Amino acid sequence: MIHTVTLNPALDKTAQAPNFKLDAVTRITELRQDPGGKGINVSKVIRQLGGTSTAWAVLGGNTGRYIRETLAEQGIECRAFEVEGETRTNLKVIDPEGGTHTDINEPGPQVSDDMLDAMLARLVAELDAGDIVVLAGSVARGASDDTYFGWVEACRGAGAKVFLDADGEKLVAGIRACPFLIKPNEIELGSILGRTLDTDEKVANAARELVSRGLDNVVVSMGGAGALFVSADHVVKGGSVRVPVGSTVGAGDSVVAALAYAEQQGLPLEDKVRLSMATGAANVMQSGTQAAPRELVDSLVDKVSVTWL
């Protein structure tokens, strides 16, 4: 079973605003809204790939209720933990004329460590050995900096494989508990280690350094340059697929989703690389944070180059 955890979810509103300018009246020509937050995005993509997952999320107010109901309509089970206040709304402004993407994100409601501890205890009680837990995104206001350390440690202790997709101090704290997989980009990885990573060799060496500390897998996304998949046994580069861009929001989440799905299915490494890169490309083609259909993903799989380094 795959469980996704979103401690600071959002309602993502994606607005098309041609010729968007600061200090001016902007006319929106198209608007869509999707339940969002990195873990929820992962669950949506897993659903489209043909898998199932349970989405654990901290939700509040009418916005939280809307997210829960929408996920149910999409066939995704949601374990909601109620919080006072309103789940945040994030606005993504896309200017198709200027080719810009602007994110305006709200902070979200306040939580307590006691509430998160209760949520974690309930999750751990439901885990079976071999389950996959995806911890993704920011944590809500009020949570400790070492929140992901505790969650990774507890889920690992229950026999689960933990995928961690976070950034900054939250990622650094989580790494100390040795998750099964992390997915930073090359800038985030360089920041963790205090150096610039501007070649594949430097990225690979940095990823190997984290593997030597006890991580099983480090997947480093590099935008248009593809991604490196690093473990103690291999370094593999997956090439990016050139596609028309609808929205880049959630592209990294879709890669994590494909990796979790592929791990659950027991796919060989090369198939994991191809599926994850194709899923990322297919989701870039979508509007907002809607998940791309499996048929589109499959049409891109053979276009992914795989190089063993």
Side-chain angles (χ1 to χ4, degrees), residues 231-245:
S231 76
D233 301 322
H234 62 255
V235 177
V236 177
K237 183 173 184 177
S240 63
V241 182
R242 292 186 177 276
V243 295
V245 176

Side-chain angles (χ1 to χ4, degrees), residues 185-186 220-227 240 277:
N185 60 39
E186 78 278 20
V220 187
S221 56
M222 303 182 295
S240 63
M277 299 304 293

Side-chain angles (χ1 to χ4, degrees), residues 164-282:
L164 176 62
D165 185 15
D167 58 20
E169 293 302 317
K170 306 299 187 295
L171 175 59
V172 172
I175 286 173
R176 291 192 286 110
C178 298
F180 178 77
L181 181 146
I182 63 171
K183 194 210 68 62
N185 60 39
E186 78 278 20
I187 297 173
E188 292 165 345
L189 181 58
S191 178
I192 291 171
L193 298 175
R195 55 182 183 263
T196 300
L197 307 177
D198 52 9
T199 67
D200 287 354
E201 183 179 7
K202 290 180 181 179
V203 172
N205 288 337
R208 285 194 190 100
E209 185 172 328
L210 292 187
V211 169
S212 72
R213 299 182 187 180
L215 278 70
D216 293 277
N217 299 276
V218 178
V219 178
V220 187
S221 56
M222 303 182 295
L228 290 185
F229 298 74
V230 181
S231 76
D233 301 322
H234 62 255
V235 177
V236 177
K237 183 173 184 177
S240 63
V241 182
R242 292 186 177 276
V243 295
V245 176
S247 172
T248 58
V249 178
D253 305 334
S254 64
V255 172
V256 173
L259 289 169
Y261 172 80
E263 182 67 27
Q264 184 193 49
Q265 297 296 311
L267 298 184
L269 176 60
E270 187 165 327
D271 289 347
K272 289 179 182 177
V273 173
R274 292 186 186 278
L275 181 65
S276 61
M277 299 304 293
T279 303

